[in-house]
Amino acid sequence: MTIAWVEDRDPLPDPAHAPVPASGLAAAGLDLSPARLYEAYRKGLFPWYSPGEPVLWWSPDPRMVLRCEDFHLGRSLAKRVRQFDRDTAPETVTAPTASDSPPDLHVTLNQAFSDVIAHCARRGAPRIGLGAARTGQDWFAPGAAQGRDGTWITPDIQAVYTAWHRMGYVHSIETWIGGRLAGGLYGVSLGQCFFGESMFSLAADASKIALAYLVSHLRTRSVSWIDCQQETPHLASLGARPVARPDFLAMLAAGRDTPAPAWGRGRLRADGRLQARPAP
């Protein structure tokens, strides 16, 4: 099987117009930059490679997609979300002072991107229950990276996605317990398309809570789906379904150039709204 080698000034192949092998591996090269990422995501490609390999660009068929309307919020998870939303409700938030401690349970947008991607790179850390986390028990034992959500998030990947985050294309959702980062996720936004990249949990359900808040926030922005890239039983349990590559590329073409408001940063409500901090 011959894989296209892409030099720095060469365009990536476009799966909408060029054949891609059944494996989904469309091209390889050495260029990894925000500009290259922008080109790749517009074409339905994403990087996935191990340390010591060239940058490999993928377009799997089928593609795992979570439509926001299909997100499965089970009874237990819905209860957890209500717990977080109670702690974040406007009537419970007072003007901040130097002595204030942060809310016990809350979710934020774009408040700790570097920490989120760093935790995703070392996924596999032991998790503890939500109740134990709220009592202050420690959860920060390092774990081994596993699968796509681990070894592929190399220092180069962290650096380029962090640079793209500063440019406004990559966003993080953070779950906090007692002022500590307990879980979260990050992904790429183009127009009305969102591409989920990775998530992590250090306390039970912390990443699922972040996903629930993300789904609600995307709905407020008229974004109807999240690209989950590869099929897994875990994603299927949350409502994601496989989509044939031609159909996914048609969805992408319909949404990638649609104007979208600025994402911003701050505390999220369970209904998807960004909550402004009260004035002192």
Side-chain angles (χ1 to χ4, degrees), residues 34-35 37-39 41 159-170 188-190:
L37 288 176
Y38 180 76
E39 176 198 3
Y41 278 79
V160 72
Y161 278 85
T162 299
W164 214 21
H165 164 69
R166 295 191 183 109
M167 297 168 67
Y169 288 96
V170 190
V188 174
S189 174
L190 291 180

Side-chain angles (χ1 to χ4, degrees), residues 128-218:
I128 64 174
L130 180 60
R134 295 186 74 174
T135 66
Q137 293 185 31
D138 203 1
W139 55 52
F140 292 105
Q146 299 177 3
R148 170 160 164 72
D149 289 306
T151 56
W152 76 279
I153 306 179
T154 64
D156 286 345
I157 286 285
Q158 292 186 55
V160 72
Y161 278 85
T162 299
W164 214 21
H165 164 69
R166 295 191 183 109
M167 297 168 67
Y169 288 96
V170 190
H171 306 283
S172 59
I173 308 290
E174 303 95 11
T175 302
W176 303 87
I177 300 175
R180 298 187 297 171
L181 184 62
L185 57 86
Y186 74 97
V188 174
S189 174
L190 291 180
Q192 291 185 336
C193 308
F194 192 86
F195 307 82
E197 287 299 310
S198 185
M199 58 174 59
F200 78 97
S201 285
L202 298 176
D205 289 337
S207 63
K208 291 182 182 179
I209 291 166
L211 179 60
Y213 274 71
L214 171 65
V215 167
S216 293
H217 186 61
L218 292 177

Side-chain angles (χ1 to χ4, degrees), residues 10 15-16 23 25 38 51 75 98-99 104 111-112 132 159 172 174 179 203 207 214 243 248 255 272 275:
D10 293 338
S23 67
L25 179 55
Y38 180 76
R75 182 177 301 177
S99 61
D104 189 21
Q111 294 284 69
S172 59
E174 303 95 11
S207 63
L214 171 65
V243 173
F248 173 78
Q275 178 175 304

Side-chain angles (χ1 to χ4, degrees), residues 200-240:
F200 78 97
S201 285
L202 298 176
D205 289 337
S207 63
K208 291 182 182 179
I209 291 166
L211 179 60
Y213 274 71
L214 171 65
V215 167
S216 293
H217 186 61
L218 292 177
R219 285 172 171 162
T220 70
R221 302 169 56 81
S222 300
V223 176
S224 60
W225 53 267
I226 301 171
D227 171 34
C228 301
Q229 299 175 345
Q230 295 180 317
E231 187 172 359
T232 68
H234 173 65
L235 291 171
S237 72
L238 296 173

Side-chain angles (χ1 to χ4, degrees), residues 8-23:
D8 289 359
R9 296 181 179 274
D10 293 338
L12 289 166
D14 188 343
H17 305 291
V20 175
S23 67

